[in-house]
Amino acid sequence: MIDWSPIILTAKLATLTTLLLLLIGIPIAYWLATTTARSKPVVETLVSLPLVLPPTVLGFYLLIAFSPHKALGHWLQQYMGIQLLFSFTGLVIGSVLYSLPFMVNPIQAGLSNLPPSLAEASYVLGKSKLQTLFYVLLPAIKPALLTGIVLTFAHTIGEFGVVLMIGGNIPDATKVVSIAIYDQVEALNYEQAHLYSLLLLGVTFCILLVVYSTNGKHLKHFWK
């Protein structure tokens, strides 16, 4: 019989990560789409690093940073009572960093493709930059927003390297579906591994099918 706790934990992690990245990603994408600062290529590189960086590399450095023997981890645990290593909170932070480009890049592409006259007309009508962003620009790129949200969610539910490095394998706390599959394969319990794998395969296939069916052009901009 299948254990549903890793599935529930994975859904919780993916949902929370997606919501946080929606709040974080929109300002970053807007800045990247509108700025002419010399630091733009550096910021774009940092945002997109998880696309090419092995997840174990990011997981390793987060493992070091979250350690109570290092400055950040020690300060958080000593003065804030927060333990990031081998905790769900640590998983969320790691997932946010690792899935960042999947939210930022589609939104940036959508904003960059809008005609400048759209924002200029809003400014002429007396709208502020914040009002223009939320009431004019974002409604105009709903497909790009959908792409970012769905890809972030799908990417998070499939994470393995980062969550294993900083979360370990603690039932009901850090054991997500990808870790559960690894456990079952190690135990030679291929039937359970197949059930978990089939579930992830079905969910991600349906998610990507919806996105490609409704918004394939934004995905092409994203992967360029």
Side-chain angles (χ1 to χ4, degrees):
M1 187 160 180
I2 192 168
D3 180 10
W4 287 94
S5 60
I7 299 172
I8 295 172
L9 189 65
T10 301
K12 181 181 175 183
L13 176 63
T15 301
L16 188 54
T17 298
T18 303
L19 291 174
L20 288 173
L21 276 177
L22 192 60
L23 296 175
I24 297 170
I26 289 176
I28 296 176
Y30 177 74
W31 184 82
L32 289 173
T34 58
T35 188
T36 56
R38 292 184 178 181
S39 58
K40 178 181 176 179
V42 177
V43 176
E44 285 183 314
T45 300
L46 290 173
V47 168
S48 297
L49 264 180
L51 291 175
V52 295
L53 195 67
T56 48
V57 174
L58 178 59
F60 171 73
Y61 283 114
L62 289 177
L63 179 68
I64 298 300
F66 292 170
S67 171
H69 302 294
K70 299 298 180 180
L72 176 61
H74 176 76
W75 183 83
L76 287 172
Q77 189 165 334
Q78 184 75 19
Y79 298 103
M80 304 294 291
I82 299 174
Q83 178 184 335
L84 296 181
L85 204 57
F86 305 117
S87 69
F88 182 76
T89 302
L91 286 190
V92 172
I93 295 175
S95 296
V96 165
L97 293 174
Y98 192 54
S99 294
L100 183 63
F102 291 87
M103 181 66 77
V104 172
N105 289 4
I107 298 176
Q108 180 189 352
L111 291 171
S112 297
N113 288 328
L114 292 177
S117 58
L118 191 63
E120 291 169 1
S122 178
Y123 298 148
V124 169
L125 292 173
K127 303 297 183 181
S128 67
K129 286 189 175 182
L130 191 61
Q131 289 174 319
T132 300
L133 174 63
F134 283 98
Y135 296 112
V136 178
L137 301 183
L138 292 182
I141 60 161
K142 286 181 181 178
L145 282 171
L146 175 64
T147 299
I149 291 170
V150 174
L151 285 182
T152 299
F153 187 90
H155 183 253
T156 303
I157 65 175
E159 287 179 12
F160 176 75
V162 172
V163 295
L164 179 63
M165 293 287 284
I166 64 177
N169 185 6
I170 305 173
D172 299 319
T174 63
K175 186 177 181 179
V176 294
V177 175
S178 58
I179 304 299
I181 294 172
Y182 179 77
D183 275 355
Q184 297 302 329
V185 171
E186 276 202 323
L188 302 180
N189 190 354
Y190 295 134
E191 183 178 351
Q192 283 288 338
H194 172 67
L195 289 175
Y196 284 128
S197 299
L198 188 62
L199 178 65
L200 280 188
L201 177 62
V203 170
T204 52
F205 178 83
C206 291
I207 288 173
L208 291 178
L209 179 62
V210 169
V211 173
Y212 273 107
S213 298
T214 59
N215 194 28
K217 63 180 181 179
H218 287 280
L219 284 177
K220 292 177 183 178
H221 287 299
F222 169 66
W223 290 117
K224 283 182 179 180

